[in-house]
Amino acid sequence: MVHLLHIDTSPRGERSHSRCMTREFVAQWQQVHPSDTVTYRDLGHQPVPYVDELWIAAAFTPPEQRTPEMWEAIRLSDQLVDEFLAADIYVIGVPMYNFSVPGVFKSYIDQIVRVGRTVIYGTDDSTHGFKPLVLGKKMFVIESRGAAEYHPGGQYEAMNHHDPYLVTVFGFIGITDITFIYVGNDVESISKARTHAIDLIAA
């Protein structure tokens, strides 16, 4: 039995292609793996706050030295990190906005990429000064991005800062097994995305 963390980041509701695809993906997954469990987080409709000065002070202060105000500033982040670490597989719907990820997802990433929780700096066995702590996980990113050709080899590949960013930031904390499922806004693209998702789940 494995545990999935299902995250949506689009502010749209039923008109969201990424929401539709993540919902179908998780439903199909549960049909194939009925004993697996799912936690859902809706960042598009319930965004998490930006990090602020007190958050930064708390994150970089040893726990035994934190003030009550620091503990309160970092409380939600600790909850998000605990939730993130409890999952074995991530299914995340992330539309492309202005060549990168939505601001609500960047805020979430800033909350969970934490020194001492998901990455360690300055250890003897670290690589380039850091050691990732989130290992053995699998991530599926369902990316909606209209009709433009941002895929590898596409006309606008060089403008795609969405995929490279996610590969970099999640690789930084140890998640290197990332599969992208691309969905556009036309019937053919949506159909291909559904087929791709079904094949991945079956595999």
Side-chain angles (χ1 to χ4, degrees):
M1 183 178 72
V2 301
H3 183 63
L4 277 70
L5 177 56
H6 171 192
I7 299 175
D8 280 324
T9 66
S10 173
R12 282 181 161 185
E14 293 303 313
R15 294 190 303 143
S16 167
H17 293 304
S18 63
R19 282 181 181 274
C20 179
M21 290 301 302
T22 60
R23 184 169 59 245
E24 291 182 12
F25 186 102
V26 171
Q28 179 69 22
W29 184 281
Q30 290 183 298
Q31 287 185 15
V32 177
H33 308 282
S35 62
D36 290 354
T37 56
V38 180
T39 294
Y40 179 63
R41 181 163 292 277
D42 189 343
L43 297 174
H45 293 163
Q46 298 172 333
V48 298
Y50 298 120
V51 301
D52 56 19
E53 184 174 2
L54 189 57
W55 186 103
I56 295 170
F60 289 93
T61 297
E64 65 276 10
Q65 297 178 21
R66 288 177 188 155
T67 66
E69 292 78 15
M70 287 180 178
W71 278 111
E72 179 59 26
I74 209 84
R75 180 178 57 83
L76 175 59
S77 178
D78 280 336
Q79 293 174 358
L80 294 172
V81 171
D82 289 344
E83 179 181 85
F84 190 80
L85 293 176
D88 305 292
I89 296 175
Y90 309 99
V91 180
I92 308 177
V94 192
M96 176 186 282
Y97 287 174
N98 297 319
F99 317 113
S100 188
V101 301
V104 292
F105 194 43
K106 179 61 168 63
S107 294
Y108 173 81
I109 290 170
D110 291 341
Q111 293 279 356
I112 65 166
V113 177
R114 287 263 309 275
V115 173
R117 296 297 314 271
T118 53
V119 66
I120 296 176
Y121 284 102
T123 60
D124 292 338
D125 58 347
S126 63
T127 302
H128 303 300
F130 66 87
K131 179 182 179 181
L133 298 179
V134 190
L135 305 174
K137 312 284 189 176
K138 169 66 184 174
M139 179 175 289
F140 296 97
V141 176
I142 297 177
E143 179 188 345
S144 58
R145 55 189 187 187
E149 297 183 6
Y150 295 104
H151 60 274
Q155 182 179 0
Y156 302 107
E157 177 185 5
M159 300 171 71
N160 181 356
H161 302 288
H162 184 288
D163 302 9
Y165 170 67
L166 294 181
V167 168
T168 298
V169 73
F170 285 113
F172 178 66
I173 62 174
I175 302 173
T176 57
D177 188 357
I178 303 176
T179 298
F180 289 90
I181 302 170
Y182 304 116
V183 57
N185 55 10
D186 59 281
V187 174
E188 181 180 1
S189 173
I190 294 171
S191 177
K192 286 182 178 179
R194 286 196 174 107
T195 300
H196 187 195
I198 291 172
D199 290 344
L200 289 169
I201 294 169

